[in-house]
Amino acid sequence: MKKLTIFLIITTASLFGQNMRQNSLYSLFADNKAVAIGDAITIIVMESSQASNNAETTTGRTSSIGGSFSGNMDSTPLPKADGSLGTNNSFEGSGSTKTTGLVRTKISALVDTVYANGNMLITGSRKIVINGEEQVIKIKGIVRPSDILPDNSVYSYNISEAEITFEGSGMIDRSQSPGWLTKLFHWLF
């Protein structure tokens, strides 16, 4: 009887085995993390960038050529001739640029592809419209499963090949760009 019971338990366990990935969604002890195509993940975008560049150039060149001629011929003085040629060239230029940016937001993305090594390609976007002003946030990149936090989120600086785009359109955007006549003059001159 004991052998029959053990045999039934082993047979039942092998026939009705559980997929631990599917059952992890219902487990009290496992985290609910994105692992498959179509799973959602939260991206915590915390980007800060600063760049500056200074350049100064000074060049100068001076050259001169001179000559003189005078003399006598049989006590008759010859006309005196002097000549001089000179050039002067100088250039001085300077320029500087400085850029600072800070972005903080949260955005949800979906897993598009799961690679053989377990890394996942994620893409997501969010469109916000307030009083006719439209703002679109897009994100795309590769996430390692080890970088996903227990609450199924990942920081944007842990995303490989990250592409984060912020675009806006509306009245404010139109008022900040130059008109077509100004663009024409800039193109001509």
Side-chain angles (χ1 to χ4, degrees):
M1 186 69 173
K2 283 185 179 182
K3 290 183 182 183
L4 181 62
T5 307
I6 293 173
F7 175 74
L8 288 175
I9 292 173
I10 292 173
T11 306
T12 305
S14 64
L15 289 176
F16 302 107
Q18 298 180 11
N19 182 345
M20 296 309 285
R21 288 201 185 256
Q22 286 178 335
N23 292 333
S24 69
L25 296 174
Y26 310 110
S27 173
L28 295 174
F29 306 106
D31 295 327
N32 184 10
K33 292 185 179 181
V35 293
I37 295 173
D39 286 352
I41 186 169
T42 301
I43 311 298
I44 303 169
V45 180
M46 297 179 66
E47 295 293 326
S48 175
S49 63
Q50 290 185 341
S52 64
N53 187 11
N54 285 329
E56 290 188 28
T57 304
T58 303
T59 62
R61 180 172 62 179
T62 303
S63 61
S64 63
I65 298 173
S68 176
F69 177 80
S70 66
N72 293 340
M73 186 171 191
D74 292 334
S75 73
T76 308
L78 293 174
K80 188 175 179 182
D82 278 346
S84 179
L85 176 65
T87 62
N88 187 4
N89 186 2
S90 66
F91 171 78
E92 186 173 330
S94 65
S96 66
T97 61
K98 185 175 182 179
T99 306
T100 303
L102 177 65
V103 178
R104 292 178 190 239
T105 188
K106 283 186 180 182
I107 185 171
S108 292
L110 293 176
V111 177
D112 274 353
T113 307
V114 178
Y115 297 112
N117 62 357
N119 291 352
M120 297 168 283
L121 175 67
I122 54 110
T123 58
S125 67
R126 172 176 285 159
K127 180 178 177 181
I128 303 166
V129 179
I130 301 172
N131 292 335
E133 294 295 321
E134 181 178 295
Q135 198 173 41
V136 178
I137 306 167
K138 296 179 183 177
I139 190 161
K140 180 180 181 181
I142 298 173
V143 175
R144 295 183 307 176
S146 59
D147 290 331
I148 300 174
L149 300 172
D151 64 350
N152 195 38
S153 64
V154 66
Y155 289 107
S156 61
Y157 52 77
N158 286 332
I159 299 175
S160 303
E161 300 179 24
E163 296 176 20
I164 303 170
T165 308
F166 287 82
E167 297 173 348
S169 64
M171 184 63 79
I172 295 174
D173 181 56
R174 285 191 297 272
S175 67
Q176 288 180 337
S177 61
W180 64 270
L181 190 59
T182 305
K183 288 179 184 178
L184 177 67
F185 284 128
H186 281 276
W187 182 75
L188 290 174
F189 304 107

